[in-house]
Each structure stands twice: as C-alpha cells, then as structure tokens.
Amino acid sequence: SAVISQKPSRDICQRGTSLTIQCQVDSQVTMMFWYRQQPGQSLTLIATANQGSEATYESGFVIDKFPISRPNLTFSTLTVSNMSPEDSSIYLCSVVPDRVNTEAFFGQGTRLTVV
Amino acid sequence: SQQGEEDPQALSIQEGENATMNCSYKTSINNLQWYRQNSGRGLVHLILIRSNEREKHSGRLRVTLDTSKKSSSLLITASRAADTASYFCATDDSGGGADGLTFGKGTHLIIQP
C-alpha cells in the first residue's frame, strides 16, 4: 500500500498565474500518475511521471502547460501554468506500487478554481 | 480517452436495498478495478478483477466480469448511508499498470436513510 500527501487541498487562483501541486508518498514507488477531474466528470490521465525519465503526456496535454517534476521515488510536482477558468478542476496524483496487482492509490486531490 | 461507460449515471435507493452499477469498456484489458470517491476527494480502491476471472467477492461487494461483452457489474448488498458516493470502474489496459488507468464516467449513488 501507499499513503500520499497532496497539497494544497484547494486553491483559488487568478487567471494567468501558475500553481504547483505537490505529492509526497510514504514509500518509494516507480510509477506515479497525474489525473484531472473536471467538474462532474470522470478522471482523465494527464501524464505518467516515472522517476529517471521524462514525463509522458497523454493526448491533449502538453509539457508547457503542465510541467512535471519527479526528482526522486517519493515526490512529484505538477504545475498548472498560465491558468484560465477552463483549468478549474480537481487534480489528483496516484501511484501504483505493485505491478502485479496494479491497485492504484490516490492523493486527496487539489481542488483548483481559476477566477 | 475514456474507455468505460457506466450506467446508471445516478442511482438513488433506500438503505438496506442492493445497488447494482454497470460498466462497459472497449478494448482488451489486463484487469478491471472499481473505485469509490466521496465528495470529490481522493479515490479509494474497492476491488480488482482480472481478465481471466468471472466473479469476485469482497465483503458486501460482488463484481462480475464478462470479457466477451466487455462489461462488468458492481453489486453492493445491504446498502448503508455511508455508501453514498461516486463509483468508477477503471481498466488497466497495458498490464503492470504502466500506462495508468482508464476510467469510466462513474455512477453517483445516493442511499436514502
């Protein structure tokens, strides 16, 4: 299992600014993922952030908008850059510690509102 | 892109009744998982069923998987008010979880006391 501390839990930001979200895991894990959940919607994968390699972005998401850092096996950040109201969502980090069971563990999410 | 389609989108039942949610997916999968989300917070893993399994139980939960129909169902028996939440199916398409999970649209379940 894994326990993830994600912060901030929520924020209200002005358009045009950037917000960095942090995820700290209580154990070393290779595979970490960032998801976006738009209001009333399901989760969409933004990128895979494995330590030791560049993040891999899904279609529709680009590094300039969502830069990711993964400096070690227990920590990652996602930055939402040059924000607009359309970026208002819940952002969640997730890890998969066991490649056999592939159960995912999630942080509590960051509820972002852009005004 | 989202793979799973879940129905119903919303379900309201009386406490003590059983709740059934369905999920369909489009591609081949390694396993299918169900998650619960309370009030837009983090997701909690409920149960995982592998592609070579047909049924699995965990406490009050029963999951079925029909790979020929590319569908799964989640049954919650003897529902409680605390079961009120959104439920999502998610598929591991690649095996080993390396490509993340593909989530369905979710079912919002309300248990009336």
Side-chain angles (χ1 to χ4, degrees):
Chain A
S1 68
V3 176
I4 303 174
S5 173
Q6 182 175 344
K7 57 183 180 182
S9 59
R10 60 177 61 227
D11 207 343
I12 300 173
C13 300
Q14 296 291 323
R15 67 177 67 200
T17 63
S18 298
L19 176 71
T20 296
I21 302 167
Q22 299 180 1
C23 269
Q24 179 74 52
V25 190
D26 70 341
S27 58
Q28 294 184 337
V29 291
T30 300
M31 294 186 289
M32 181 176 277
F33 307 91
W34 287 95
Y35 292 86
R36 181 177 72 183
Q37 186 177 27
Q38 294 177 299
Q41 303 296 313
S42 186
L43 281 74
T44 300
L45 182 65
I46 297 172
T48 302
N50 293 338
Q51 198 272 337
S53 61
E54 295 290 320
T56 303
Y57 290 82
E58 297 298 303
S59 176
F61 299 95
V62 295
I63 187 171
D64 289 347
K65 176 67 176 177
F66 298 101
I68 289 171
S69 77
R70 185 80 199 276
N72 57 53
L73 290 172
T74 64
F75 187 78
S76 178
T77 66
L78 169 76
T79 299
V80 186
S81 303
N82 188 25
M83 289 183 286
S84 66
E86 292 71 35
D87 295 320
S88 297
S89 295
I90 298 172
Y91 293 86
L92 300 109
C93 62
S94 172
V95 299
V96 177
D98 184 342
R99 299 198 66 168
V100 173
N101 290 318
T102 69
E103 172 187 346
F105 295 85
F106 287 82
Q108 286 298 296
T110 297
R111 185 181 294 270
L112 171 63
T113 302
V114 184
V115 298
Chain B
S1 60
Q2 290 186 341
Q3 160 143 264
E5 295 286 334
E6 290 170 76
D7 73 271
Q9 291 188 351
L11 178 63
S12 180
I13 61 174
Q14 294 296 122
E15 193 167 19
E17 294 180 339
N18 296 340
T20 299
M21 290 159 271
N22 302 296
C23 167
S24 62
Y25 56 92
K26 299 174 183 174
T27 65
S28 297
I29 62 171
N30 179 266
N31 64 60
L32 185 143
Q33 305 176 35
W34 285 89
Y35 288 82
R36 183 184 73 219
Q37 184 180 39
N38 291 84
S39 302
R41 304 302 302 281
L43 277 72
V44 174
H45 182 268
L46 296 176
I47 195 166
L48 179 153
I49 187 165
R50 301 189 187 285
S51 59
N52 62 352
E53 297 176 312
R54 292 297 168 257
E55 186 172 315
K56 203 162 184 180
H57 297 253
S58 177
R60 295 185 294 115
L61 305 180
R62 172 177 167 256
V63 170
T64 62
L65 179 65
D66 187 334
T67 53
S68 66
K69 295 181 179 178
K70 290 185 169 59
S71 67
S72 174
S73 68
L74 171 68
L75 169 67
I76 303 174
T77 60
S79 64
R80 305 167 181 169
D83 295 328
T84 294
S86 293
Y87 291 82
F88 296 92
C89 67
T91 55
D92 175 9
D93 306 334
S94 65
D99 293 337
L101 297 172
T102 303
F103 282 84
K105 292 183 177 180
T107 293
H108 184 52
L109 176 65
I110 297 173
I111 308 299
Q112 306 279 3

